[in-house]
Amino acid sequence: MSRSRIVDALEKKWEIDTRWRSMLTMHLKSREGIARLQNRYLEGIFESRRRAVENLERLVALTVESVKREGGNVYVAKTAEDARRYVVSLAESRGVKCVIKSKSMTTEEIDLNNALLSRGIDVIETDLGERIVQLAGQRPSHIIAPAVHLSREEIARLVNEKKGADLPHQPEAITRFFRQDLWSDFKRAEMGITGANVVVAETGQVVLVTNEGNGRLVTAMPRILVSIAGIEKIVETWDDAFNVLRVLPVSAVGRDTTSYITVIGPRGMSRHVKTPEYHMVLLDNGRMEASQDPWLKDALRCIRCAACLDICPTYRILGGHVFGDIYSGPMGVPWTAITKSLKDASGIAKYCVSCSLCLHVCPVQIDIPITISWIKHASAGKTLRERMLTMYEFYAVLGSRLPRLFNWLQGSRVSRRLMEGLLGIDRRRLMHRFRGGNLYEVLGEEYLRRRDADIVYFPDTFAAYIDWGIGLLVVRVLEALGYTVAVPRTYGSGMPSIQYGFLLKAKRVAEKNVEKLKSYAEAGVRIVCSEPTAAYCLREAYPKILNTPSSQRVSESTWELTNLIATEAKSLSPNTEQSPNTYVFYHHPCHSRLLSPGRPSEDLLKRIGLNVATVDYGCCGIAGTWGMRRGVEGFLISAEIGRRVAEIILGTGCMEIATESSVCAQQLGQFTGLKVRHTIRYIAHSLGIQHRDEGVLNF
């Protein structure tokens, strides 16, 4: 991906604004819908998709048998070229001059439109968004909203230019024009081509979910109908299909169902046309091989709901034409690896910031972030600066020993230029200050060697070496709540290594930390983290990287600090010294969403008497050291996200911000100008241990 394309995308502020608003709205609708959905449906779709991937070869054979039994034609295409050749040959042999299509990303994958056009066959997209990007000479930038990157003014201008119309900017007028304009194409088309949301193996039928009605016309009016589906769309039974149909529209747009659910197949053709003809093309193109790959196979569970695109911070800024290939956004990275190559996927993988929100919203629990980390690892395309950024803990330990020097270096313009050139840390990024010393020295041997504890505190790098004041406060609060705390000397979580795809290094760190913690976990002692990303590594990443019983036991024993306190501390009450007018904005760190169901930190802040506001905008954009990197592959994208998040926060009228993430605190403080404090400070204040402003060095 060329840097010029990134710069060009960042300069299109109007396009970013359009996409940001649209994606935020779609995300909120999706989350509202999922919250209403009974958990049995999510469990059902996960099991249906898991079984399908595990039995893919058998289901392909069953589908072929079912389609042929009902009198249809079926072709299993090994490659994109095979599928393209079959459809073009079919159209030419039947004398087809015009093809109409209902939206299909699979046809984008095989580049079918260009193949047909090159043979003199007219191709008309009938989905409104697809038709708009077709007129613009572009490809879709979003799976379910192909033209989301275009404003209504741009669309009206495009239609007026390409179709000789004179349309105003109103969506109703644009929609009315396309309805009338497409009708003549529906009437003259000899072939209809659709994709598939589901293929039901037991009957050989295809299910389409649409909202515009064009899909019904594409399947009913032409005399030849072709359904093109990736083999991963196959499920075995109609019960499995129902599980997909129940969850897909909810996760995609927050609706219980779509306007149209269309079932087609050999017997689903309209009988008013002469000699109706049905063909199903099942596309492999890397899918069968991926089903045997331990890292890629889970991506085959994808139902194309686009929830991961809507929540992705970099997708909202860059869009699918930059952060993507044929398939865009987070899910586009593993799907590019499946359908093209690891090299192609690695070119877009660098824009994944490992916030893990895509895993949080995925209805079929695909761990996209760890898969992308593996793609970065396997592609061997990492840079020297990325290697240096994985040495985060080394710099932190050094800074804890030489705090005056490091604090001076971070404040010097000359040294910041050198750091930017050598380490790739952008000079514009505000940095945390070092307190000097480390948490282990402050606490002493008693905490390091304690074996009778009922809580083990894993401080991670920030609370251990950069600002041990946070770590000490955590220990004091836990003791005030009646816990006996041990703080064995551990290593940093290794998240930068995971983020940049240095999985061998991450594995070594994970093994060392698991070795330190496993005896506590085996004894039933809880492990508590005050840094959400550290808890994520112990809970989610380590078991997948190590795949050992010990890592699983540590995972099961790990808690996020505020979740533990909210769950077990019944004695917290409003502090009478707390001003009733204190209005706090709570920023929900990305990794907390995976680990702590509900909103425990918000509940705690309210329980101790604070007025709390929050907005579910997703990631603040810093994403650890990623947002500290120089230029277009870090700070500039991070800043675009940060400014928009700051506008939302400041719009609430809050006076200060609470959060648990040390890196989020950097981003929020830099772009809002408000004081940011760790949530533990408010809890400590409510317990009378320390005022929330006492001893604050960073947040």
Side-chain angles (χ1 to χ4, degrees):
M1 185 66 64
S2 68
R3 296 169 67 88
S4 62
R5 288 189 65 189
I6 308 297
V7 172
D8 184 56
L10 291 174
E11 288 176 349
K12 296 178 179 177
K13 304 298 184 185
W14 69 92
E15 188 173 304
I16 297 175
D17 290 340
T18 299
R19 190 164 44 244
W20 179 273
R21 289 192 303 269
S22 299
M23 295 299 93
L24 183 56
T25 299
M26 292 171 71
H27 163 67
L28 293 175
K29 288 181 178 178
S30 171
R31 291 302 88 197
E32 289 169 3
I34 289 293
R36 296 193 308 268
L37 196 64
Q38 295 180 30
N39 197 52
R40 62 189 176 97
Y41 293 123
L42 293 171
E43 293 172 354
I45 192 173
F46 175 80
E47 283 302 314
S48 292
R49 297 304 299 136
R50 182 189 61 79
R51 287 195 305 270
V53 173
E54 289 181 353
N55 296 278
L56 197 54
E57 189 170 357
R58 180 178 65 83
L59 292 181
V60 170
L62 180 58
T63 303
V64 170
E65 178 186 334
S66 298
V67 174
K68 288 182 176 179
R69 184 180 62 242
E70 299 301 327
N73 305 281
V74 60
Y75 177 68
V76 180
K78 181 67 176 175
T79 67
E81 182 183 357
D82 291 341
R84 195 165 55 238
R85 185 171 54 245
Y86 179 87
V87 178
V88 172
S89 177
L90 174 66
E92 289 186 320
S93 68
R94 303 300 192 270
V96 171
K97 299 298 181 186
C98 178
V99 171
I100 52 173
K101 292 176 62 201
S102 181
K103 186 171 69 175
S104 168
M105 286 304 298
T106 310
T107 62
E108 295 285 343
E109 179 185 331
I110 66 175
D111 197 22
L112 181 60
N113 286 15
N114 286 330
L116 290 167
L117 290 168
S118 70
R119 305 308 288 261
I121 300 170
D122 201 8
V123 183
I124 305 296
E125 298 285 355
T126 63
D127 174 84
L128 180 58
E130 289 271 359
R131 183 59 177 153
I132 290 168
V133 296
Q134 185 183 34
L135 287 176
Q138 301 174 356
R139 60 177 175 80
S141 67
H142 189 278
I143 310 170
I144 64 172
V148 71
H149 58 290
L150 299 174
S151 67
R152 64 184 66 177
E153 291 80 10
E154 289 176 298
I155 294 170
R157 190 161 53 247
L158 173 70
V159 175
N160 291 340
E161 176 186 331
K162 296 291 185 178
K163 303 295 290 186
D166 185 19
L167 294 180
H169 298 161
Q170 283 72 33
E172 295 81 3
I174 295 169
T175 304
R176 193 180 306 115
F177 170 82
F178 276 110
R179 183 185 295 123
Q180 296 169 350
D181 185 65
L182 284 169
W183 183 239
S184 61
D185 297 312
F186 280 115
K187 290 191 291 185
R188 71 187 177 94
E190 300 107 334
M191 177 184 282
I193 297 177
T194 76
N197 294 102
V198 186
V199 178
V200 186
E202 66 179 357
T203 61
Q205 290 171 308
V206 166
V207 185
L208 303 175
V209 292
T210 58
N211 283 313
E212 298 174 22
N214 60 304
R216 290 269 174 100
L217 293 173
V218 168
T219 62
M221 293 187 71
R223 61 184 173 84
I224 304 168
L225 176 60
V226 181
S227 297
I228 305 176
I231 57 176
E232 85 285 357
K233 295 293 184 68
I234 302 174
V235 297
E236 184 159 5
T237 69
W238 276 102
D239 286 340
D240 294 320
F242 172 78
N243 288 332
V244 177
L245 297 174
R246 187 66 188 88
V247 175
L248 174 57
V250 179
S251 187
V253 293
R255 293 174 54 183
D256 291 335
T257 187
T258 52
S259 301
Y260 302 91
I261 296 178
T262 305
V263 179
I264 58 176
R267 290 183 176 177
M269 295 280 298
S270 172
R271 294 298 176 182
H272 77 273
V273 295
K274 295 180 180 179
T275 60
E277 187 176 348
Y278 178 75
H279 295 256
M280 180 185 290
V281 177
L282 294 174
L283 179 66
D284 181 347
N285 201 31
R287 290 161 171 83
M288 195 67 75
E289 183 180 351
S291 71
Q292 305 303 313
D293 187 292
W295 290 98
L296 292 176
K297 66 179 181 180
D298 287 354
L300 297 174
R301 295 202 300 262
C302 180
I303 60 173
R304 307 295 196 273
C305 67
C308 62
L309 278 73
D310 299 340
I311 194 63
C312 177
T314 45
Y315 176 86
R316 288 180 183 176
I317 299 302
L318 297 178
H321 291 156
V322 177
F323 185 23
D325 189 72
I326 298 301
Y327 298 102
S328 57
M331 56 82 72
V333 182
W335 271 94
T336 300
I338 291 169
T339 60
K340 287 194 170 182
S341 69
L342 283 173
K343 182 179 179 181
D344 289 310
S346 68
I348 55 176
K350 68 180 75 173
Y351 301 108
C352 167
V353 301
S354 299
C355 67
S356 295
L357 291 180
C358 49
L359 170 57
H360 172 66
V361 300
C362 180
V364 288
Q365 302 172 41
I366 302 169
D367 196 337
I368 302 174
I370 202 72
T371 304
I372 292 177
S373 181
W374 172 79
I375 289 169
K376 293 174 181 177
H377 161 78
S379 62
K382 298 172 286 296
T383 66
L384 176 60
R385 282 182 180 157
E386 288 173 336
R387 291 181 185 276
M388 297 181 78
L389 287 170
T390 65
M391 297 172 67
Y392 174 70
E393 184 170 23
F394 170 78
Y395 303 135
V397 172
L398 200 59
S400 71
R401 295 171 179 169
L402 303 167
R404 291 185 179 179
L405 174 61
F406 270 64
N407 289 337
W408 176 79
L409 289 172
Q410 290 180 170
S412 165
R413 292 183 179 181
V414 174
S415 65
R416 287 303 300 268
R417 287 195 185 96
L418 290 173
M419 289 170 64
E420 187 175 76
L422 295 173
L423 303 179
I425 297 176
D426 199 289
R427 75 184 77 171
R428 291 162 289 189
R429 173 61 69 190
L430 295 183
M431 305 294 287
H432 284 313
R433 295 176 62 78
F434 285 87
R435 189 175 289 272
N438 65 69
L439 180 64
Y440 306 113
E441 293 171 348
V442 171
L443 289 173
E445 290 294 317
E446 177 188 357
Y447 288 89
L448 270 66
R449 300 185 181 279
R450 178 173 284 163
R451 304 304 304 176
D452 61 343
D454 43 28
I455 290 289
V456 173
Y457 175 43
F458 181 84
D460 199 22
T461 305
F462 178 83
Y465 294 105
I466 297 176
D467 187 356
W468 52 259
I470 289 290
L472 183 61
L473 203 55
V474 169
V475 173
R476 297 293 178 249
V477 166
L478 289 171
E479 290 177 333
L481 293 173
Y483 298 105
T484 303
V485 184
V487 191
R489 189 182 293 271
T490 51
Y491 299 86
S493 64
M495 185 60 193
S497 296
I498 296 171
Q499 185 173 31
Y500 298 120
F502 293 90
L503 288 189
L504 294 179
K505 184 176 181 179
K507 184 177 181 180
R508 290 193 293 270
V509 171
E511 286 172 338
K512 291 177 181 178
N513 281 328
V514 167
E515 184 63 29
K516 290 275 188 178
L517 298 170
K518 69 177 183 180
S519 61
Y520 292 100
E522 289 166 354
V525 179
R526 269 87 57 87
I527 302 164
V528 172
C529 305
S530 57
E531 186 78 42
T533 296
Y536 162 78
C537 288
L538 268 61
R539 272 271 297 274
E540 295 288 333
Y542 284 8
K544 291 166 184 171
I545 294 172
L546 299 179
N547 193 27
T548 61
S550 295
S551 63
Q552 186 59 42
R553 192 69 189 89
V554 167
S555 169
E556 293 167 355
S557 302
T558 298
W559 284 68
E560 199 180 8
L561 174 68
T562 54
N563 192 25
L564 178 81
I565 295 174
T567 302
E568 298 191 355
K570 308 301 181 184
S571 60
L572 286 178
S573 58
N575 190 319
T576 55
E577 297 179 8
Q578 174 68 58
S579 169
N581 296 320
T582 303
Y583 194 21
V584 177
F585 184 93
Y586 177 70
H587 169 72
H588 206 159
C590 296
H591 290 131
S592 294
R593 297 163 185 262
L594 286 170
L595 307 170
S596 303
R599 298 179 179 273
S601 295
E602 289 176 59
D603 293 342
L604 280 175
L605 293 170
K606 290 175 182 177
R607 279 167 60 184
I608 60 179
L610 295 168
N611 293 311
V612 184
T614 192
V615 177
D616 188 10
Y617 46 68
C619 180
C620 71
I622 188 169
T625 60
W626 189 90
M628 301 177 191
R629 295 168 59 175
R630 182 180 71 181
V632 297
E633 294 176 4
F635 181 80
L636 290 180
I637 297 173
S638 177
E640 284 292 335
I641 301 167
R643 280 191 284 268
R644 285 167 172 77
V645 167
E647 288 177 6
I648 295 172
I649 294 174
L650 294 172
T652 66
C654 290
M655 298 174 285
E656 52 195 63
I657 301 170
T659 192
E660 293 85 52
S661 169
S662 58
V663 287
C664 292
Q666 287 177 273
Q667 178 89 328
L668 299 173
Q670 180 161 357
F671 287 100
T672 66
L674 299 178
K675 287 184 178 179
V676 186
R677 297 179 179 84
H678 195 295
T679 305
I680 199 67
R681 294 195 181 279
Y682 296 95
I683 298 170
H685 183 204
S686 74
L687 293 171
I689 296 172
Q690 187 182 92
H691 191 276
R692 69 175 193 272
D693 289 324
E694 185 180 339
V696 177
L697 180 66
N698 293 297
F699 85 120

